[in-house]
mmCIF file of all heavy atoms in Angstrom:
data_model
loop_
_atom_site.group_PDB
_atom_site.id
_atom_site.type_symbol
_atom_site.label_atom_id
_atom_site.label_comp_id
_atom_site.label_asym_id
_atom_site.label_seq_id
_atom_site.Cartn_x
_atom_site.Cartn_y
_atom_site.Cartn_z
ATOM 1 N N ALA U 207 -77.769 24.546 -114.130
ATOM 2 C CA ALA U 207 -78.339 25.896 -113.997
ATOM 3 C C ALA U 207 -77.753 26.761 -115.179
ATOM 4 O O ALA U 207 -76.578 27.081 -115.173
ATOM 5 C CB ALA U 207 -78.013 26.528 -112.651
ATOM 6 N N ASN U 208 -78.600 27.111 -116.127
ATOM 7 C CA ASN U 208 -78.180 27.925 -117.247
ATOM 8 C C ASN U 208 -78.409 29.408 -116.910
ATOM 9 O O ASN U 208 -79.547 29.815 -116.689
ATOM 10 C CB ASN U 208 -78.957 27.517 -118.501
ATOM 11 C CG ASN U 208 -78.449 28.221 -119.754
ATOM 12 O OD1 ASN U 208 -77.356 28.739 -119.772
ATOM 13 N ND2 ASN U 208 -79.243 28.220 -120.808
ATOM 14 N N VAL U 209 -77.312 30.156 -116.851
ATOM 15 C CA VAL U 209 -77.445 31.563 -116.463
ATOM 16 C C VAL U 209 -76.895 32.474 -117.530
ATOM 17 O O VAL U 209 -76.296 32.056 -118.514
ATOM 18 C CB VAL U 209 -76.563 31.800 -115.148
ATOM 19 C CG1 VAL U 209 -77.067 30.920 -113.995
ATOM 20 C CG2 VAL U 209 -75.068 31.550 -115.397
ATOM 21 N N ASN U 210 -77.115 33.789 -117.337
ATOM 22 C CA ASN U 210 -76.537 34.806 -118.210
ATOM 23 C C ASN U 210 -75.060 34.953 -117.897
ATOM 24 O O ASN U 210 -74.571 34.540 -116.820
ATOM 25 C CB ASN U 210 -77.224 36.169 -117.998
ATOM 26 C CG ASN U 210 -78.587 36.214 -118.644
ATOM 27 O OD1 ASN U 210 -78.778 35.659 -119.729
ATOM 28 N ND2 ASN U 210 -79.553 36.847 -117.973
ATOM 29 N N GLU U 211 -74.295 35.548 -118.802
ATOM 30 C CA GLU U 211 -72.868 35.708 -118.699
ATOM 31 C C GLU U 211 -72.430 36.394 -117.381
ATOM 32 O O GLU U 211 -71.498 35.991 -116.742
ATOM 33 C CB GLU U 211 -72.289 36.448 -119.911
ATOM 34 C CG GLU U 211 -70.791 36.562 -119.934
ATOM 35 C CD GLU U 211 -70.268 37.230 -121.191
ATOM 36 O OE1 GLU U 211 -70.872 37.028 -122.253
ATOM 37 O OE2 GLU U 211 -69.251 37.964 -121.102
ATOM 38 N N GLU U 212 -73.194 37.437 -117.024
ATOM 39 C CA GLU U 212 -72.820 38.207 -115.818
ATOM 40 C C GLU U 212 -72.991 37.415 -114.530
ATOM 41 O O GLU U 212 -72.475 37.835 -113.469
ATOM 42 C CB GLU U 212 -73.606 39.515 -115.785
ATOM 43 C CG GLU U 212 -75.108 39.360 -115.700
ATOM 44 C CD GLU U 212 -75.753 39.448 -117.076
ATOM 45 O OE1 GLU U 212 -75.073 39.093 -118.085
ATOM 46 O OE2 GLU U 212 -76.964 39.762 -117.157
ATOM 47 N N ASP U 213 -73.745 36.294 -114.567
ATOM 48 C CA ASP U 213 -73.990 35.515 -113.320
ATOM 49 C C ASP U 213 -73.143 34.238 -113.283
ATOM 50 O O ASP U 213 -73.344 33.438 -112.369
ATOM 51 C CB ASP U 213 -75.469 35.167 -113.266
ATOM 52 C CG ASP U 213 -76.367 36.343 -113.112
ATOM 53 O OD1 ASP U 213 -75.948 37.274 -112.380
ATOM 54 O OD2 ASP U 213 -77.479 36.392 -113.678
ATOM 55 N N ILE U 214 -72.222 34.033 -114.217
ATOM 56 C CA ILE U 214 -71.534 32.772 -114.310
ATOM 57 C C ILE U 214 -70.602 32.519 -113.112
ATOM 58 O O ILE U 214 -70.401 31.337 -112.728
ATOM 59 C CB ILE U 214 -70.688 32.726 -115.650
ATOM 60 C CG1 ILE U 214 -70.156 31.288 -115.890
ATOM 61 C CG2 ILE U 214 -69.566 33.728 -115.640
ATOM 62 C CD1 ILE U 214 -71.216 30.243 -116.058
ATOM 63 N N ILE U 215 -70.080 33.550 -112.467
ATOM 64 C CA ILE U 215 -69.170 33.361 -111.342
ATOM 65 C C ILE U 215 -69.915 33.285 -110.003
ATOM 66 O O ILE U 215 -69.739 32.366 -109.251
ATOM 67 C CB ILE U 215 -68.083 34.480 -111.315
ATOM 68 C CG1 ILE U 215 -67.209 34.352 -112.578
ATOM 69 C CG2 ILE U 215 -67.228 34.347 -110.036
ATOM 70 C CD1 ILE U 215 -66.171 35.461 -112.693
ATOM 71 N N ASP U 216 -70.752 34.284 -109.749
ATOM 72 C CA ASP U 216 -71.391 34.389 -108.436
ATOM 73 C C ASP U 216 -72.829 33.803 -108.439
ATOM 74 O O ASP U 216 -73.447 33.687 -107.359
ATOM 75 C CB ASP U 216 -71.458 35.847 -107.981
ATOM 76 C CG ASP U 216 -70.057 36.402 -107.810
ATOM 77 O OD1 ASP U 216 -69.182 35.650 -107.338
ATOM 78 O OD2 ASP U 216 -69.839 37.608 -108.098
ATOM 79 N N GLY U 217 -73.366 33.433 -109.606
ATOM 80 C CA GLY U 217 -74.730 32.890 -109.612
ATOM 81 C C GLY U 217 -75.744 34.027 -109.428
ATOM 82 O O GLY U 217 -75.472 35.202 -109.571
ATOM 83 N N ASN U 218 -76.970 33.620 -109.038
ATOM 84 C CA ASN U 218 -78.048 34.579 -108.803
ATOM 85 C C ASN U 218 -79.067 33.932 -107.893
ATOM 86 O O ASN U 218 -78.891 32.802 -107.439
ATOM 87 C CB ASN U 218 -78.679 35.057 -110.109
ATOM 88 C CG ASN U 218 -79.187 33.925 -110.987
ATOM 89 O OD1 ASN U 218 -79.692 32.927 -110.463
ATOM 90 N ND2 ASN U 218 -79.062 34.016 -112.284
ATOM 91 N N GLU U 219 -80.181 34.618 -107.626
ATOM 92 C CA GLU U 219 -81.178 34.091 -106.700
ATOM 93 C C GLU U 219 -81.801 32.791 -107.220
ATOM 94 O O GLU U 219 -82.142 31.901 -106.465
ATOM 95 C CB GLU U 219 -82.281 35.138 -106.474
ATOM 96 C CG GLU U 219 -83.039 35.543 -107.745
ATOM 97 C CD GLU U 219 -84.198 36.487 -107.464
ATOM 98 O OE1 GLU U 219 -84.994 36.214 -106.529
ATOM 99 O OE2 GLU U 219 -84.307 37.476 -108.209
ATOM 100 N N TYR U 220 -81.913 32.637 -108.570
ATOM 101 C CA TYR U 220 -82.481 31.436 -109.119
ATOM 102 C C TYR U 220 -81.555 30.267 -108.871
ATOM 103 O O TYR U 220 -81.996 29.129 -108.510
ATOM 104 C CB TYR U 220 -82.719 31.597 -110.601
ATOM 105 C CG TYR U 220 -83.716 32.686 -110.984
ATOM 106 C CD1 TYR U 220 -83.386 33.624 -111.979
ATOM 107 C CD2 TYR U 220 -84.941 32.770 -110.407
ATOM 108 C CE1 TYR U 220 -84.262 34.616 -112.357
ATOM 109 C CE2 TYR U 220 -85.850 33.780 -110.752
ATOM 110 C CZ TYR U 220 -85.486 34.676 -111.725
ATOM 111 O OH TYR U 220 -86.392 35.659 -112.085
ATOM 112 N N VAL U 221 -80.251 30.451 -109.044
ATOM 113 C CA VAL U 221 -79.277 29.401 -108.801
ATOM 114 C C VAL U 221 -79.309 28.960 -107.317
ATOM 115 O O VAL U 221 -79.276 27.793 -107.003
ATOM 116 C CB VAL U 221 -77.852 29.858 -109.186
ATOM 117 C CG1 VAL U 221 -76.800 28.839 -108.753
ATOM 118 C CG2 VAL U 221 -77.788 30.115 -110.704
ATOM 119 N N ASN U 222 -79.400 29.973 -106.454
ATOM 120 C CA ASN U 222 -79.422 29.690 -104.993
ATOM 121 C C ASN U 222 -80.606 28.822 -104.621
ATOM 122 O O ASN U 222 -80.514 27.848 -103.825
ATOM 123 C CB ASN U 222 -79.443 30.970 -104.169
ATOM 124 C CG ASN U 222 -78.147 31.765 -104.329
ATOM 125 O OD1 ASN U 222 -77.074 31.197 -104.663
ATOM 126 N ND2 ASN U 222 -78.207 33.066 -104.079
ATOM 127 N N LYS U 223 -81.774 29.130 -105.225
ATOM 128 C CA LYS U 223 -82.979 28.368 -104.940
ATOM 129 C C LYS U 223 -82.840 26.933 -105.452
ATOM 130 O O LYS U 223 -83.249 25.971 -104.799
ATOM 131 C CB LYS U 223 -84.222 29.016 -105.578
ATOM 132 C CG LYS U 223 -84.664 30.272 -104.936
ATOM 133 C CD LYS U 223 -85.849 30.926 -105.643
ATOM 134 C CE LYS U 223 -86.293 32.209 -104.975
ATOM 135 N NZ LYS U 223 -87.418 32.854 -105.713
ATOM 136 N N LEU U 224 -82.198 26.791 -106.667
ATOM 137 C CA LEU U 224 -82.026 25.483 -107.232
ATOM 138 C C LEU U 224 -81.069 24.650 -106.369
ATOM 139 O O LEU U 224 -81.291 23.434 -106.175
ATOM 140 C CB LEU U 224 -81.548 25.647 -108.653
ATOM 141 C CG LEU U 224 -81.339 24.311 -109.461
ATOM 142 C CD1 LEU U 224 -82.681 23.590 -109.609
ATOM 143 C CD2 LEU U 224 -80.791 24.636 -110.850
#
Side-chain angles (χ1 to χ4, degrees):
N208 187 17
V209 300
N210 284 322
E211 185 176 325
E212 59 267 25
D213 295 323
I214 191 62
I215 295 175
D216 297 324
N218 56 36
E219 60 175 313
Y220 298 131
V221 173
N222 294 337
K223 287 179 182 178
L224 185 59

